[in-house]
Amino acid sequence: MKPFTYERAQSPAEAAAAALRIPGTKFIAGGTNLLDLMKLQIEAPAHLIDVNGLALDKIEATPEGGLRIGALVRNTDLAADPRVRRDYALLARALLAGASGQLRNKATTAGNLLQRTRCPYFYDTNQPCNKRQPGSGCAAIGGFSRPLAVIGVSDGCIATHPSDMAVAMRALDAAVETVKADGATRRIPIAEFHHLPGDTPQLETVLEAGELITAVTLPAPVGGKQLYYKVRDRASYAFALVSVAAIVQPDGSGRVALGGVAPKPWRVEAAEAELPRGAEAVTVRLLADAKPTDQNAFKLPLVRRTLAAALAEARS
Amino acid sequence: MHDSCDFNVSRRDLMVGAAASAAVVTAPSVAGAQASVGVPSMKVSFTVNGEARALELDTRTTLLDALREGLHLAGTKKGCDHGQCGACTVIVDGRRINSCLTLAVMHEGGSITTVEGLGTPRDLHPMQAAFVKHDGYQCGYCTPGQICSAVSVLAEIEAGIPSHVSGDLTARPQASAAEFRERMSGNICRCGAYSNIVEAITEVAGRKA
């Protein structure tokens, strides 16, 4: 790791202001992704602001009947919350499908949304990577692309977003609450939170310099059967090759979001109108503009089959 | 067994000596860094296995390196140093975490339990005794992390925390072999002692029930 100075944040607004003021600042919460990247010098902050002391670790009911999840709520606590288990089973299932028990005990709600890709070329500092070093090229295109994205990609980047939690949040229409360096707050629908790579794969979210996530809100529960199916190379503790988040209502309508296939949680609302016609029809719309490589083209039929399995269980 | 007792005594002497000094300055072993002028350092105090400890550390020092190199508690092992293998698992404020993926300075006022704090060679923790009885290891390198993790797994099940294999999210999770296997997936054993580890955890879970 490169040397860095360290401070403990006193308030969200002060943390945001300090992060803008001090060059090379990063916030640290769970640290499970950031420290990993710092050891490899993929991240090399000059200053860390530890936000763990901020009282952002509560899950509260909102006046609209939903939940406001503090940015620092650990993945374990969010998945174990009785309201989440009862009313947002999709979110609990997605969280429990991710990482290990040790990591879920540290990893936070906000950090989960901000985690970086596990593309092997992003991690290998000997290789070109437009996300790690803008303009250097993409070794994944034409390289080992089996785990990488099939849709939403660009000529400069085919990395996937690695989160399971964010896929559930997308299907549940979550929103991200932040405080900016000038003290202003804003609410960002999760659909607008992550960027597609385009020509700037290093820009992953709409967050501005210094802007700090304070909470993630969920609307009132939508009911239905809520399922998260994750297909991976081993039964536990692995990133998704493909994941399907599905909410299916008794009348056959519902919502579908995908993980493991795109640079952000992938949802196409128009495709959900096809749900009564089955997994094939939905998948055709969801992945209409897919640009798979030879190595990851298997993800297209895998999405269809995984969705079919989820729909069969939802309707059984 | 006798040898390990002697080792333990001598290590305790060392620990007493370390505690008597005002502070121990340690540098992270990563990147060959040594504490040097101009590299930011900080004081941090926490409790380790019931003892109050104070250190002055290079801010880069992970909790794992602080335990091993600052406090000479070498029971906690460094495997991958990237949160993938679980060898460094310790219990912090009642929860198991990867000590390699957290900075020591982030644990001011915290309470840390390492494998040395669970039991002693003469008075093993039930999980340690069960690992011995069921041969839950071969080389033993992953074992301290496996044991800290296993102790926490039973606590997590008792606290009603669900897992990926829990059938009904709203019901209390079961202390079953399937649950143990899923919950222990963050602890890798290259010798492949998994089936014996599950037997050891099963025995301790049965005792508690």
Side-chain angles (χ1 to χ4, degrees):
Chain A
M1 276 185 259
K2 298 283 192 190
F4 55 84
T5 49
Y6 169 93
E7 70 172 295
R8 297 186 184 104
Q10 301 303 311
S11 75
E14 286 174 72
L20 184 66
R21 191 174 64 244
I22 305 166
T25 292
K26 283 271 181 190
F27 299 119
I28 187 163
T32 55
N33 189 208
L34 180 60
L35 286 168
D36 186 24
L37 295 169
M38 284 168 65
K39 289 180 183 193
L40 298 166
Q41 297 188 15
I42 295 165
E43 297 274 15
H47 184 66
L48 284 184
I49 299 180
D50 182 344
V51 295
N52 284 291
L54 303 178
L56 301 173
D57 56 354
K58 308 286 188 301
I59 305 173
E60 301 162 321
T62 65
E64 296 78 30
L67 289 180
R68 185 170 188 274
I69 303 156
L72 293 169
V73 172
R74 310 289 154 171
N75 287 178
T76 296
D77 295 314
L78 186 53
D81 186 274
R83 294 161 293 186
V84 173
R85 287 154 76 175
R86 185 189 63 220
D87 298 331
Y88 304 94
L90 177 61
L91 178 57
R93 286 291 181 201
L95 285 160
L96 295 170
S100 66
Q102 291 97 315
L103 291 169
R104 290 192 297 272
N105 280 344
K106 284 304 275 183
T108 64
T109 305
N112 192 309
L113 291 176
L114 295 175
Q115 65 179 304
R116 312 295 304 274
T117 185
R118 266 49 171 211
C119 174
Y121 300 97
F122 176 71
Y123 266 77
D124 184 347
T125 52
N126 294 311
Q127 299 280 347
C129 170
N130 288 321
K131 190 183 278 297
R132 175 167 36 75
Q133 198 177 348
S136 63
C138 174
I141 297 171
F144 175 68
S145 58
R146 179 177 174 272
L148 301 175
V150 296
I151 193 160
V153 298
S154 72
D155 292 339
C157 184
I158 59 170
T160 52
H161 193 271
S163 173
D164 293 298
M165 185 198 81
V167 180
M169 292 289 196
R170 179 72 179 87
L172 291 165
D173 284 331
V176 182
E177 293 184 355
T178 70
V179 58
K180 294 196 207 184
D182 63 2
T185 59
R186 66 167 168 160
R187 184 178 174 281
I188 307 160
I190 187 137
E192 298 163 21
F193 184 76
H194 293 104
H195 287 304
L196 289 178
D199 296 332
T200 53
Q202 73 277 17
L203 301 178
E204 296 177 351
T205 73
V206 298
L207 292 182
E208 297 170 10
E211 190 169 8
L212 176 69
I213 298 175
T214 52
V216 176
T217 57
L218 294 175
V222 295
K225 280 260 185 101
Q226 302 195 0
L227 299 163
Y228 190 77
Y229 272 36
K230 180 174 178 179
V231 182
R232 41 188 163 174
D233 281 332
R234 59 186 181 200
S236 184
Y237 197 19
F239 290 97
L241 290 168
V242 159
S243 70
V244 171
I247 302 173
V248 182
Q249 302 294 349
D251 67 1
S253 67
R255 304 177 185 182
V256 176
L258 304 177
V261 296
K264 59 189 271 187
W266 196 253
R267 181 176 173 198
V268 178
E269 277 80 347
E272 292 161 5
E274 304 287 340
L275 269 168
R277 280 183 281 283
E280 170 78 35
V282 177
T283 305
V284 165
R285 290 292 294 275
L286 261 174
L287 300 178
D289 301 314
K291 293 189 179 66
T293 67
D294 288 347
Q295 289 179 23
N296 66 20
F298 74 94
K299 290 191 177 191
L300 276 58
L302 189 56
V303 166
R304 173 170 45 81
R305 291 171 186 161
T306 308
L307 179 59
L311 295 181
E313 181 176 330
R315 287 163 181 165
S316 67
Chain B
M1 212 53 179
H2 184 69
D3 283 351
S4 69
C5 288
D6 286 348
F7 171 69
N8 191 270
V9 168
S10 66
R11 186 176 57 196
R12 274 178 191 281
D13 290 344
L14 188 67
M15 286 162 57
V16 169
S21 63
V24 180
V25 178
T26 188
S29 61
V30 291
Q34 296 295 314
S36 59
V37 177
V39 174
S41 68
M42 261 185 93
K43 288 181 177 162
V44 64
S45 303
F46 39 57
T47 303
V48 182
N49 300 331
E51 267 185 78
R53 310 305 296 256
L55 296 167
E56 182 163 356
L57 299 167
D58 183 322
T59 53
R60 292 172 291 178
T61 312
T62 61
L63 179 60
L64 171 62
D65 286 339
L67 291 169
R68 288 183 55 85
E69 295 173 36
L71 300 175
H72 305 289
L73 290 168
T76 306
K77 297 294 186 272
K78 182 180 283 190
C80 68
D81 209 26
H82 285 279
Q84 296 173 6
C85 76
C88 68
T89 303
V90 298
I91 302 167
V92 177
D93 301 328
R95 301 188 148 200
R96 58 179 169 146
I97 66 167
N98 300 114
S99 62
C100 74
L101 284 187
T102 193
L103 297 171
V105 294
M106 293 168 73
H107 295 282
E108 176 66 31
S111 175
I112 297 145
T113 301
T114 70
V115 71
E116 292 96 335
L118 289 177
T120 66
R122 287 196 181 85
D123 183 21
L124 295 175
H125 184 282
M127 192 64 76
Q128 292 172 314
F131 267 66
V132 172
K133 177 179 170 185
H134 291 280
D135 212 7
Y137 47 81
Q138 285 183 40
C139 81
Y141 195 81
C142 72
T143 311
Q146 298 276 2
I147 288 174
C148 285
S149 206
V151 167
S152 295
V153 161
L154 294 187
E156 287 165 13
I157 291 173
E158 197 149 314
I161 294 169
S163 88
H164 177 61
V165 299
S166 303
D168 179 355
L169 273 182
T170 57
R172 291 195 66 77
Q174 302 295 305
S176 66
E179 287 280 0
F180 301 152
R181 278 193 285 268
E182 161 60 24
R183 290 169 192 262
M184 291 294 289
S185 68
N187 291 85
I188 309 300
C189 171
R190 291 304 297 267
C191 301
Y194 297 112
S195 61
N196 294 358
I197 291 169
V198 169
E199 283 178 21
I201 301 172
T202 301
E203 176 165 317
V204 178
R207 260 187 212 156
K208 288 173 69 132

